[in-house]
Amino acid sequence: LGDVYKRQEEDKYRNASENREKLKQELNDLIVDKNADEKIVRSLSNQILRKNKKIKVEKKKLNLNSDDEKKIQFIDDCLDLLIPAIDTARKENLASLSTNFGSTFDKHCHKDYNASLDSNFNISVKNSRKKELALAGSKRLSEGETYLAGFSYMLAMKTMTDYNFPFIIDTPLASCDLQYRERIMRLFANLTTSLTDSHATFLFTPSEYTSNVKKTIENHISNHYELDIDVNQNAVVKKVI
């Protein structure tokens, strides 16, 4: 037991020593980064001073008269007015898009989530404990919920911007469970009734194109083609509608 205790103590001190060396190295790296950043800041500050001096020199060369000065001042004043107006318009558009996206997602999602857009127009989906679920590379949302979020975002952009762009989606329901397939297709069916000349092309596999999906979109289909193989193993396209 004495040898075991001795080895444990030796391991403890060895680990503490290794951690200390590691922390010292990290501290040195931070000091190096800090010194490098300070050099960059000093360099940029000097560049700004030199640029300001050049601007003053060039302004004197222009020999602006009072009318020119007034015009330049008028432009500056207009820009000062526009900048906050642009920011206000951005916030209003973001709020409208977020509301549209959130209501569409929440309406068709069968779980109690809160969906919205953050300040950078990124998708945010939180559960009842306000835990973020829409994280890149995570599996916190199911495949169906992920598809629903993406389609809800796309439809919000299309509806709120009033920019009626066409789109093509390959195997839109391949990773969705049956419960979400009908809901997602109903989104696009409703879109065609709210936006005139709205055009969407879907490339379904037979397993996706179930009777429920057909029934959901049958009154909104303008063209329906099926790809098959003939007796000679050649691909053939048959127009259904």
Side-chain angles (χ1 to χ4, degrees):
L1 290 176
D3 291 339
V4 172
Y5 177 76
K6 182 179 179 181
R7 284 196 299 271
Q8 289 177 346
E9 289 298 306
E10 289 176 349
D11 291 341
K12 181 173 68 175
Y13 287 114
R14 186 182 302 107
N15 292 337
S17 177
E18 291 175 353
N19 289 336
R20 179 174 175 274
E21 291 301 320
K22 181 179 178 182
L23 290 171
K24 285 174 62 179
Q25 183 60 47
E26 291 177 354
L27 176 60
N28 290 334
D29 292 342
L30 289 173
I31 292 173
V32 171
D33 291 340
K34 174 178 175 292
N35 292 336
D37 291 341
E38 289 177 348
K39 289 181 180 178
I40 293 174
V41 171
R42 285 196 297 271
S43 175
L44 292 175
S45 298
N46 291 333
Q47 291 182 41
I48 291 172
L49 290 173
R50 289 195 294 270
K51 293 293 183 182
N52 283 331
K53 289 180 180 179
K54 289 183 178 180
I55 290 172
K56 291 179 180 179
V57 171
E58 294 300 324
K59 186 175 180 180
K60 289 180 179 179
K61 290 180 181 179
L62 289 173
N63 193 23
L64 298 175
N65 57 41
S66 59
D67 288 338
D68 293 330
E69 290 284 4
K70 289 180 181 178
K71 291 176 183 178
I72 292 175
Q73 186 60 49
F74 175 75
I75 294 173
D76 288 338
D77 292 341
C78 289
L79 290 174
D80 290 338
L81 290 173
L82 283 174
I83 290 174
I86 292 172
D87 184 60
T88 300
R90 180 185 183 278
K91 290 179 180 178
E92 291 176 352
N93 289 333
L94 173 60
S96 299
L97 282 169
S98 182
T99 300
N100 186 284
F101 162 74
S103 62
T104 301
F105 181 88
D106 294 340
K107 178 181 178 181
H108 294 86
C109 183
H110 58 76
K111 292 185 180 179
D112 186 20
Y113 290 154
N114 181 24
S116 62
L117 301 181
D118 65 19
S119 59
N120 293 318
F121 291 83
N122 295 320
I123 291 174
S124 173
V125 179
K126 297 180 180 179
N127 59 18
S128 58
R129 298 188 300 276
K130 297 184 178 181
K131 182 178 181 180
E132 182 60 65
L133 305 178
L135 299 175
S138 74
K139 295 295 183 181
R140 294 180 179 179
L141 293 176
S142 69
E143 293 289 347
E145 292 164 351
T146 301
Y147 272 65
L148 178 62
F151 291 148
S152 298
Y153 184 88
M154 181 174 62
L155 295 180
M157 292 293 291
K158 186 168 184 175
T159 302
M160 301 306 298
T161 61
D162 201 28
Y163 186 70
N164 200 7
F165 52 88
F167 49 86
I168 300 176
I169 303 178
D170 187 12
T171 56
L173 308 174
S175 300
C176 302
D177 58 31
L178 297 178
Q179 190 172 20
Y180 273 116
R181 290 184 176 186
E182 185 177 347
R183 296 184 181 197
I184 288 174
M185 295 316 300
R186 191 180 297 122
L187 285 179
F188 293 100
N190 293 338
L191 179 68
T192 59
T193 60
S194 60
L195 290 178
T196 58
D197 299 324
S198 182
H199 181 206
T201 300
F202 299 100
L203 306 177
F204 292 108
T205 60
S207 62
E208 293 177 280
Y209 201 49
T210 61
S211 57
N212 286 340
V213 171
K214 291 179 183 179
K215 185 177 180 181
T216 301
I217 63 175
E218 61 184 357
N219 294 328
H220 304 270
I221 299 175
S222 59
N223 293 285
H224 177 187
Y225 298 89
E226 290 184 358
L227 181 63
D228 205 348
I229 299 177
D230 62 17
V231 293
N232 296 319
Q233 299 299 304
N234 295 319
V236 292
V237 178
K238 178 177 67 174
K239 184 173 183 178
V240 179
I241 297 177

